[in-house]
Amino acid sequence: TCDRTLGVCFCQDGFSGAACDVLACPGETAPCSGHGQCLTMQQLAQANGFTYRSTPDDPYTWDADAVRGCRCDEGYRGYDCSLRFCPFGDDPLTTAVVDDGG
């Protein structure tokens, strides 16, 4: 809601910005649970080698700067970076594939 006499908006949970038009990053205690970066859709695409919103006013990429998501630190995963990666493979301590001849 906005207080028009003060010119200030009070955003609902999950939104931020002067007009409450920016989707905040998920996370209980901190954005991305303190284990990642909160980036815009455009920044997330660039970080993964893609281009998002290369054409201004493209109706399909209107959310380039309005929607945010998490880019998790190494060892973390999930939409809010709250989950830890678990070791996987034949043996979590194996550093290379070993052919046992069988």
Side-chain angles (χ1 to χ4, degrees):
T1 61
C2 292
D3 183 336
R4 297 192 186 280
T5 58
L6 297 175
V8 177
C9 290
F10 302 97
C11 302
Q12 293 181 5
D13 287 343
F15 292 87
S16 63
C20 300
D21 59 344
V22 177
L23 184 64
C25 275
E28 286 294 317
T29 57
C32 303
S33 303
H35 301 293
Q37 297 174 292
C38 181
L39 302 174
T40 64
M41 292 290 287
Q42 189 169 23
Q43 292 169 325
L44 285 167
Q46 288 173 343
N48 289 290
F50 295 97
T51 301
Y52 195 79
R53 194 161 194 183
S54 58
T55 305
D57 300 323
D58 182 341
Y60 297 109
T61 58
W62 63 269
D63 57 353
D65 294 315
V67 175
R68 296 179 183 199
C70 295
R71 181 173 190 207
C72 299
D73 295 337
E74 189 174 334
Y76 291 87
R77 63 184 178 88
Y79 76 100
D80 63 351
C81 302
S82 65
L83 304 173
R84 300 274 321 242
F85 270 113
C86 291
F88 60 91
D90 62 335
D91 181 345
L93 300 178
T94 301
T95 59
V97 176
V98 177
D99 185 2
D100 62 3

